Amino acid sequence: MTIKCDDDTFIAIWLRHNGYVPDIAKELAIAERSAFKRRSNIEHKRQIALPSGSRRADAARSREYVEKLGHRITLNVKDGTVVIFGDAHYWPGDKPVAHDALVRFIRLFKPAVIICNGDAFDGAAISRHPPTSWAKMPDVADELAYCQQMIGEIEEAAAPKTKLVWCMGNHDTRFSARLAQSAPQYVRVHGTDLPDHFPAWNFSWSCQINEDVMVKHRFRGGVHATWNNSLHAGMSIFTNHLHRLCITPVTDYRGRRYGVDCGTLSDFGPTAPKFSYNEDNPFQWGSGFAVATFKAGRLLPPELVMVQDGVAYFRGQPVGMMKAAA
């Protein structure tokens, strides 16, 4: 049973446990991410900073990220839904249609796992690529804050026991790459890695579900990437990076598997400044995300939530009009 307490009591508990969230959450009988969220709200409301001890969960996760990133996360999903989204490229004030659909979908369908499949953070101002036509890029601090706000909405919509996984994308790595190049002495300093700022998520390069499904930001390239991804992975594989939002089946003597491009969560078009590098060429992209359903440990045919004409659809219905999980 959740223990209710006022802000002063919460602060006292936080300090008594030296900011170690697993113990704080256990004492209050709440989820760890709820403790992080309450701490953030109190810090904002009172304009204070609650100190972090050396045992704090997100600090430990930061060290694991530096030392072990490259190892995959493995999950067993017998019966349930996994939602996979990516390439949100959140810019301050830009709230995509697919983002709102994702939040609503999570509330209605209560997935067992939510996977951010890379590039929620864009990092335009710290890219190795030069800006296009003196384009105004958001500051890193503003972009990070907005990314935290949008990811926070996803966390809030998730059920307490939902697993949150983040497979790093190439844009995500921009966050620490610039600092690592110019000041490598800051390695392992808390705050210099993207995972430090999203403590509720488990970070890795890839996530394997059961024995035959792989999720990672990118693998093969080109127009036939989904085919080649599944062909060369030897299993069903969900990727992002190319923003195409499509499903390609591959069948051989072992059966049928799928290559899935989970699209982009972002809105796009010729007027979107974050994608001005496309030079007004047609976008072979799709806005939306992917849904993987498992029954008795077996992946059923993957599905897509797709934005068309400003409306997100799933199974022929506007997500905004759905009342309950199908």
Side-chain angles (χ1 to χ4, degrees):
M1 180 178 178
T2 300
I3 299 174
K4 295 183 178 180
C5 65
D6 57 23
D7 289 349
D8 289 329
T9 303
F10 181 87
I11 292 171
I13 293 173
W14 184 279
L15 295 176
R16 176 155 48 80
H17 289 288
N18 195 29
Y20 185 55
V21 172
D23 288 350
I24 295 168
K26 183 177 181 180
E27 179 169 338
L28 295 174
I30 60 176
E32 289 185 21
R33 66 172 174 266
S34 297
F36 279 116
K37 182 177 180 180
R38 177 129 190 221
R39 172 214 187 191
S40 179
N41 290 339
I42 291 173
E43 288 181 327
H44 178 75
K45 181 167 58 176
R46 298 202 176 185
Q47 294 298 296
I48 62 173
L50 293 177
S52 302
S54 60
R55 297 176 66 231
R56 206 180 105 187
D58 56 345
R61 191 169 291 133
S62 173
R63 290 193 297 275
E64 291 173 0
Y65 164 68
V66 173
E67 298 168 0
K68 300 180 182 179
L69 185 60
H71 293 195
R72 75 183 60 155
I73 291 171
T74 57
L75 299 175
N76 291 314
V77 180
K78 183 178 179 181
D79 297 290
T81 299
V82 178
V83 172
I84 306 160
F85 73 95
D87 291 288
H89 297 281
Y90 290 119
W91 273 29
D94 178 25
K95 193 170 188 181
V97 172
H99 170 87
D100 283 337
L102 174 65
V103 171
R104 181 169 180 79
F105 187 96
I106 290 169
R107 288 198 180 105
L108 292 175
F109 285 79
K110 298 177 174 53
V113 183
I114 301 172
I115 301 178
C116 173
N117 204 22
D119 291 356
F121 178 81
D122 186 70
I126 49 176
S127 169
R128 62 184 175 87
H129 301 290
T132 305
S133 301
W134 300 98
K136 175 76 170 98
M137 303 297 181
D139 293 334
V140 173
D142 293 336
E143 186 181 332
L144 177 62
Y146 191 69
C147 189
Q148 288 175 314
Q149 178 184 333
M150 294 296 97
I151 293 296
E153 291 184 4
I154 295 169
E155 294 175 12
E156 179 66 23
K161 293 185 179 180
T162 298
K163 296 181 177 67
L164 303 178
V165 175
W166 190 319
C167 298
M168 289 285 282
N170 53 301
H171 281 251
D172 295 325
T173 61
R174 289 176 175 178
F175 186 87
S176 58
R178 176 65 66 86
L179 190 60
Q181 290 170 358
S182 59
Q185 298 83 359
Y186 281 85
V187 66
R188 291 194 298 274
V189 174
H190 185 73
T192 58
D193 287 322
L194 192 67
D196 297 339
H197 303 276
F198 298 91
W201 296 75
N202 299 283
F203 282 77
S204 184
W205 282 122
S206 63
C207 177
Q208 182 173 337
I209 304 173
N210 302 336
E211 297 294 328
D212 56 357
V213 177
M214 177 62 69
V215 183
K216 67 192 312 290
H217 182 67
R218 58 181 177 175
F219 187 24
R220 299 297 176 113
V223 69
H224 301 297
T226 48
W227 168 271
N228 286 319
N229 284 345
S230 185
L231 184 69
H232 292 279
M235 62 178 70
S236 292
I237 180 170
F238 292 74
T239 57
N240 279 82
H241 189 60
L242 299 181
H243 301 185
R244 295 193 63 210
L245 195 64
C246 59
I247 301 171
T248 303
V250 175
T251 305
D252 57 22
Y253 288 114
R254 293 172 294 176
R256 172 164 282 207
R257 57 188 186 271
Y258 302 91
V260 183
D261 185 319
C262 304
T264 171
L265 205 67
S266 181
D267 297 329
F268 57 87
T271 61
K274 71 176 80 171
F275 300 126
S276 61
Y277 59 81
N278 197 52
E279 301 178 2
D280 198 25
N281 292 318
F283 287 84
Q284 302 298 320
W285 297 356
S287 181
F289 53 93
V291 180
T293 303
F294 293 85
K295 293 292 184 184
R298 182 178 177 84
L299 175 66
L300 300 184
E303 300 173 282
L304 300 175
V305 174
M306 181 179 293
V307 175
Q308 180 173 314
D309 300 325
V311 178
Y313 293 92
F314 181 63
R315 297 176 182 171
Q317 298 184 58
V319 176
M321 297 179 63
M322 289 182 170
K323 301 299 183 183

